[in-house]
Each structure stands twice: as C-alpha cells, then as structure tokens.
C-alpha cells in the first residue's frame, strides 16, 4: 500500500461524497491547485486507492423496495464453509453489500427486495441452510445519505 498524505485523504473523502467534482471544486476544498488535485486523483486511481466509481441511484427512481440489514450467524465447524457462503452471497442479486463483522453475528448483508413478501422468499431460499445457524433482520425505515460540505 502506498503512503497517502493528508491531501490524498482529503481528496478521497471529497470523492466519496461526489466523484464528479471538478479540479476547481476539489482545489477550493483541499487547498491545492486544480492541476495538482487532478494529478493526485489520477495517481489514486492508478495505485488502487479508488477501486471504482459508481452512480448512486435515487430510491425514487429504483421503484418500490425494501432494504434489510441482515446479521448472519455461521457454524464455526469448518472455516472453508464461511468462504463458500461469502461467495454464494456475493453472487445474489438481492445482496447489495456483504461485511465480515465482529460481535454476535459473523456476517452482515444489505438486502434489497421489492417487498417484504419477496424478502420472506429470499430468507426461505437462502438463509435456512447450513452453515447458517441463524439470522436477525433489521428493516431500514429511512435512509439518511451523507451530506456534502
């Protein structure tokens, strides 16, 4: 991993809020010239600090949806089983995010379904088989996106 200085970290923070900011916008926020900001952003892409840039679609344009944070407990009898499970979960279209976590749960996933009925079908299809030993569902009532400065 390459060393990042405070300007690099500030740029990354700004780009997480809006990756379409111009060199001028970034310059005003981090205190470097526009050209220096753009060179640094190109370097951050090249070294892998920026893995990808995506569009965050407004929920109002995605149609009706239910988002659920699901905490998964996994049997610890065979370490390879959790790797197989992670690969399976990452391929499911309903799973937006997958995290390996500390605490009572072993994994956390963010699931997006059209309805609670669809979520129930998702759980029946994917969350009742070994190596899963249990799960807890936290239904997202409202999302508060991070605000730009």
């Amino acid at each position: 991993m390459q060393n990042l200085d405070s300007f690099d970290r500030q740029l990354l923070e700004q780009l997480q809020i809006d990756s379409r900011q111009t060199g001028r916008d970034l310059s005003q926020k981090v205190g470097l010239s526009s050209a220096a900001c753009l060179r640094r952003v190109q370097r951050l892409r090249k070294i892998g600090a920026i893995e990808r840039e995506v569009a965050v679609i407004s929920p109002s344009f995605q149609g009706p949806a239910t988002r659920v944070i699901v905490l998964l407990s996994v049997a610890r009898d065979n370490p390879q089983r959790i790797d197989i499970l992670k690969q399976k979960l990452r391929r499911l279209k309903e799973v937006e995010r997958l995290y390996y976590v500390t605490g009572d749960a072993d994994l956390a996933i963010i699931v997006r379904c059209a309805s609670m009925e669809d979520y129930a079908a998702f759980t029946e299809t994917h969350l009742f088989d070994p190596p899963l030993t249990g799960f807890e569902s936290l239904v997202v009532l409202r999302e508060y996106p991070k605000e730009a400065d």
Side-chain angles (χ1 to χ4, degrees):
M1 182 170 130
Q2 306 235 353
N3 290 334
L4 302 179
D5 64 18
S6 64
F7 290 113
D8 292 331
R9 294 191 190 288
Q10 289 177 63
L11 287 167
L12 289 171
E13 185 176 317
Q14 288 301 316
L15 293 171
Q16 286 182 83
I17 295 167
D18 180 0
S19 67
R20 293 180 52 150
Q21 294 182 73
T22 65
R24 183 177 178 190
D25 295 336
L26 293 169
S27 171
Q28 293 171 350
K29 293 175 182 172
V30 303
L32 292 173
S33 72
S34 296
C37 287
L38 293 175
R39 278 193 306 272
R40 283 174 176 261
V41 170
Q42 288 174 336
R43 178 181 151 271
L44 291 168
R45 287 184 182 116
K46 184 177 179 180
I47 67 171
I50 299 172
E51 289 183 6
R52 60 191 173 132
E53 297 175 51
V54 299
V56 178
I57 310 301
S58 169
S60 62
F61 286 89
Q62 293 178 338
T66 299
R67 186 170 281 142
V68 183
I69 301 166
V70 187
L71 306 175
L72 305 170
S73 298
V74 182
R76 295 189 170 105
D77 59 338
N78 182 345
Q80 291 177 333
R81 292 177 86 180
I82 196 166
D83 290 331
I84 294 167
L85 176 64
K86 287 188 288 189
Q87 292 303 318
K88 172 189 169 187
L89 292 170
R90 291 174 72 191
R91 287 190 295 267
L92 299 175
K93 67 176 173 48
E94 297 90 349
V95 176
E96 291 185 340
R97 298 267 193 277
L98 168 66
Y99 303 98
Y100 187 46
V101 297
T102 63
D104 292 335
D106 299 296
L107 298 171
I109 57 176
I110 310 294
V111 175
R112 182 183 175 86
C113 294
S115 67
M116 284 305 293
E117 185 65 32
D118 288 340
Y119 175 67
F122 172 85
T123 64
E124 292 164 2
T125 303
H126 302 292
L127 303 185
F128 285 100
D129 295 328
L132 290 170
T133 59
F135 66 94
E136 178 181 357
S137 302
L138 306 168
V139 177
V140 175
L141 299 175
R142 185 173 292 131
E143 181 178 353
Y144 299 99
K146 185 174 179 175
E147 292 185 16
D149 293 333

